[in-house]
Amino acid sequence: MTQEQHSGQRREEAQAQETEQEVTAAAGQDAGVDDLLDEIDGVLERNAEEFVRGFVQKGGQ
Amino acid sequence: MSVHRVMGLETEYGVLAPAMPGANATMLSAQVINAYAATIREARGRIAGTHWDYTDETPLNDARGFVQPRAQADPSQLTDVEPELDAEQVALAGGDVTIGSTLYDAGEYDHEVLMNMVLGNGARLYVDHAHPEYSSPETTNPFDAVLWDQAGDHVALAAVRRIESLAGLPDVHLYKNNTDNKSVSYGAHENYLMPRSVPFDSITAGLIPFFATRQVICASGRVGRGMLGSHPGFQVSQRADFFEAQIGLETTIRRPIINTRDEPHAHWEKYRRLHVIIGDANLGQVSTLLRTGTTALVLSMIEAGTAPELELRDPVAALQAISHDPTLKTKVELADGRRLTALEIQWIYARAAAEHSGATDATDEATVEIQRRWEETLQLLETDIMAAASTVDWVAKYKLMTSYAQRHGLDFSDPRIAAMDLQWADIRPEKGLYHRLAARGLMETLYSPEQIARAALNPPTDTRAYFRGRVLSQYPEHVVAASWDSVSFTVPGARRLERIATLEPLRGTKALVGDLLDQQLSIHEFIATLRS
């Protein structure tokens, strides 16, 4: 990869981060979403950190 | 020019036994296969087709015209030999010598431990390395591909339920995802039948820009970046960060955008089976439809020589840059110097497909619907990404996580968001977050649970899967082995097996053998008629 492409990619990533914040701010304003989030709270594994740490897979295709 | 062609989907499920951390993944996978076998045995008295016929497997043949020497292949590439679950693996399972008997309750599994099954719907269910895998039966269009892919989730869930119901056995959970976010990825492969006469170079050229950008309409979303997921943030695709090459034979290391495995499972001179390894597993039915349907349209253009002529300057970097930007604004560079977004590149393909369908008078319902959905999805993603949440899996996941993060004041590096990413793909309806959304009517579905349950037991009627599935159900005591392109029968009194080749994917259909099977002949008469 050339230097020019490198800096191009970095520019892309910086730009992506800025715009990601815009999208995040616009989401999650649906009616009924509270109800759904209440349910998700009840369904989520109780110890998220332990669950994520324990989710180990062996190689695959 | 249409979306109709022979295709099939493979799913490697993530497998976890929370009560047994460190349990051997091959053992757990075998347990899933055997649990499903037990459900079939219970319903039908016996099971058939537990041996895979490896005769026509050629995983080291490269479509570029050479064969990789066996000694140079990674062991995981040798998929043409029977995997074994030996005493060593049993002993390795968690370092616990009693674990074998813990997993295989004698009353439940008093038969041999199965590593492979062929199902009555024509699918293969087996232990692939360290994952249970469901390979769907051959179907003839994207809609059927979705239905029999969903049937795989139904089969997997039946196995999970069986294990849950047995006292003393630890629960096993299955996940329809593609990474553990700790460097490991496992696949959801697609297979498309093509005429061998199409030059492989044109397939590669036509597909690379399409595959680098297809993720925006059908990927499944992932929290974390890099193979290790160590950089925070949400990205579009599960698989993008695990690809390192444009083209190659491997599927487990140095993964290529275009896989060259030349193993047609059909008449070699007539066909190639394009083995696509770059896609994400989808829980969502519409995302699966878009993934297979748009690919079928692009393959038709490639065959006709009308695919758009685009070339990315660095396809692997483009694939990852696009995945890393869920705003879809990232531009990637083409070889001619233009810089386009993934959506702009997808529009080029979509418009070319519409034009080509028009020119070739492809006006069948399925083709028209795929084209319409493709364009509608691109329009939605262009104007309001979150509006595509009911059909595009990564958007649905992103929207749910974003809402949850806002409510609790979390950022995307919080373990709760990482847990949501994994739990999205839990196949249990009461735990899987995709399934919770679908239960609320927030995900568009194409098939009802009843239709999916039927497809788990019955084969498609218009491919050789019909023959395979029907004979397994009808002559279970006589089918000793099967593969994609053969079924082997044992006939009482005969000295050798009767191996029936099924090298034409569009033969063995209901139209061709339905009447014969309906006659309920004895196995002698049945084989004699097939041979006549």
Side-chain angles (χ1 to χ4, degrees), chain B residues 141-424:
Chain B
N141 64 81
F143 289 89
D144 285 353
V146 174
L147 178 57
W148 271 276
D149 176 70
Q150 293 279 315
D153 297 352
H154 181 90
V155 164
L157 181 63
V160 165
R161 296 298 193 218
R162 180 86 186 182
I163 296 167
E164 272 174 13
S165 74
L166 296 169
L169 288 187
D171 288 354
V172 173
H173 302 164
L174 295 178
Y175 297 83
K176 196 180 191 184
N177 62 5
N178 303 103
T179 178
D180 66 356
N181 258 339
K182 298 175 188 67
S183 83
V184 164
S185 184
Y186 32 100
H189 299 171
E190 301 146 55
N191 300 282
Y192 301 93
L193 196 71
M194 303 184 75
R196 184 159 292 272
S197 55
V198 183
F200 200 76
D201 284 352
S202 68
I203 298 175
T204 304
L207 280 177
I208 286 179
F210 176 69
F211 280 165
T213 54
R214 184 184 70 161
Q215 54 178 319
V216 300
I217 59 168
C218 64
S220 289
R222 176 183 173 209
V223 175
R225 295 178 187 172
M227 288 196 196
L228 298 170
S230 45
H231 305 287
F234 184 89
Q235 63 170 310
V236 171
S237 153
Q238 290 262 301
R239 287 281 268 179
D241 286 350
F242 297 94
F243 281 72
E244 300 172 73
Q246 289 192 50
I247 178 163
L249 185 60
E250 294 89 354
T251 57
T252 58
I253 47 169
R254 298 185 295 275
R255 289 188 186 86
I257 294 174
I258 301 293
N259 180 235
T260 55
R261 184 187 293 182
D262 190 2
E263 191 180 44
H265 297 314
H267 281 300
W268 195 92
E269 329 73 61
K270 276 177 78 174
Y271 302 114
R272 77 169 75 250
R273 173 184 61 121
L274 182 72
H275 187 230
V276 175
I277 69 169
I278 200 171
D280 286 3
N282 292 119
L283 276 298
Q285 299 181 17
V286 178
S287 286
T288 313
L289 183 75
L290 283 171
R291 178 159 56 102
T292 50
T294 58
T295 303
L297 285 175
V298 173
L299 293 179
S300 290
M301 285 192 283
I302 289 171
E303 287 168 4
T306 59
E309 288 184 13
L310 293 175
E311 191 186 341
L312 292 167
R313 187 172 294 283
D314 186 342
V316 174
L319 169 75
Q320 288 162 1
I322 289 164
S323 183
H324 292 177
D325 174 20
T327 71
L328 307 185
K329 289 178 181 163
T330 289
K331 290 182 191 290
V332 294
E333 193 175 352
L334 272 53
D336 62 14
R338 278 184 293 167
R339 295 175 59 80
L340 301 178
T341 65
L343 287 170
E344 286 166 340
I345 293 173
Q346 282 287 304
W347 269 120
I348 291 172
Y349 276 96
R351 290 202 179 99
E355 199 174 307
H356 191 70
S357 291
T360 54
D361 211 19
T363 53
D364 67 277
E365 209 177 317
T367 302
V368 169
E369 182 170 348
I370 297 291
Q371 183 73 39
R372 176 181 63 75
R373 284 181 176 275
W374 192 2
E375 294 180 10
E376 279 176 8
T377 305
L378 293 175
Q379 267 156 15
L380 276 182
L381 292 171
E382 248 172 7
T383 49
D384 176 9
I385 291 173
M386 292 300 179
S390 66
T391 51
V392 178
D393 283 5
W394 74 265
V395 177
K397 183 193 263 185
Y398 191 35
K399 184 174 175 183
L400 182 67
M401 286 176 172
T402 306
S403 309
Y404 190 84
Q406 279 180 354
R407 166 189 265 212
H408 294 281
L410 311 175
D411 64 37
F412 270 64
S413 61
D414 192 280
R416 277 173 284 179
I417 300 296
M420 287 177 83
D421 192 16
L422 298 173
Q423 217 177 313
W424 172 266

Side-chain angles (χ1 to χ4, degrees), chain B residues 2-204:
Chain B
S2 80
V3 294
H4 297 269
R5 76 173 54 235
V6 174
M7 58 180 76
L9 301 177
E10 311 167 26
T11 304
E12 286 184 77
Y13 293 94
V15 58
L16 191 70
M20 292 177 81
N24 181 287
T26 307
M27 294 279 300
L28 293 177
S29 303
Q31 194 190 6
V32 169
I33 312 307
N34 286 270
Y36 191 69
T39 67
I40 297 295
R41 211 178 263 126
E42 191 171 79
R44 300 197 173 175
R46 63 182 304 156
I47 56 169
T50 59
H51 293 282
W52 191 252
D53 182 340
Y54 289 92
T55 314
D56 293 328
E57 306 261 329
T58 55
L60 302 180
N61 283 16
D62 195 300
R64 290 166 292 183
F66 51 86
V67 178
Q68 184 177 31
R70 213 166 171 85
Q72 286 172 20
D74 187 81
S76 62
Q77 288 175 260
L78 306 178
T79 52
D80 53 351
V81 289
E82 182 85 16
E84 284 176 25
L85 194 60
D86 55 22
E88 189 185 11
Q89 273 182 308
V90 173
L92 278 173
D96 178 354
V97 290
T98 66
I99 207 164
S101 54
T102 310
L103 286 174
Y104 298 103
D105 178 71
E108 176 75 355
Y109 307 120
D110 53 354
H111 309 263
E112 61 175 325
V113 173
L114 299 180
M115 301 298 273
N116 182 76
M117 282 179 81
V118 184
L119 308 185
N121 72 354
R124 182 185 185 195
L125 180 68
Y126 69 114
V127 178
D128 186 16
H129 304 296
H131 301 271
E133 172 163 333
Y134 170 89
S135 298
S136 83
E138 303 89 333
T139 56
T140 60
N141 64 81
F143 289 89
D144 285 353
V146 174
L147 178 57
W148 271 276
D149 176 70
Q150 293 279 315
D153 297 352
H154 181 90
V155 164
L157 181 63
V160 165
R161 296 298 193 218
R162 180 86 186 182
I163 296 167
E164 272 174 13
S165 74
L166 296 169
L169 288 187
D171 288 354
V172 173
H173 302 164
L174 295 178
Y175 297 83
K176 196 180 191 184
N177 62 5
N178 303 103
T179 178
D180 66 356
N181 258 339
K182 298 175 188 67
S183 83
V184 164
S185 184
Y186 32 100
H189 299 171
E190 301 146 55
N191 300 282
Y192 301 93
L193 196 71
M194 303 184 75
R196 184 159 292 272
S197 55
V198 183
F200 200 76
D201 284 352
S202 68
I203 298 175
T204 304

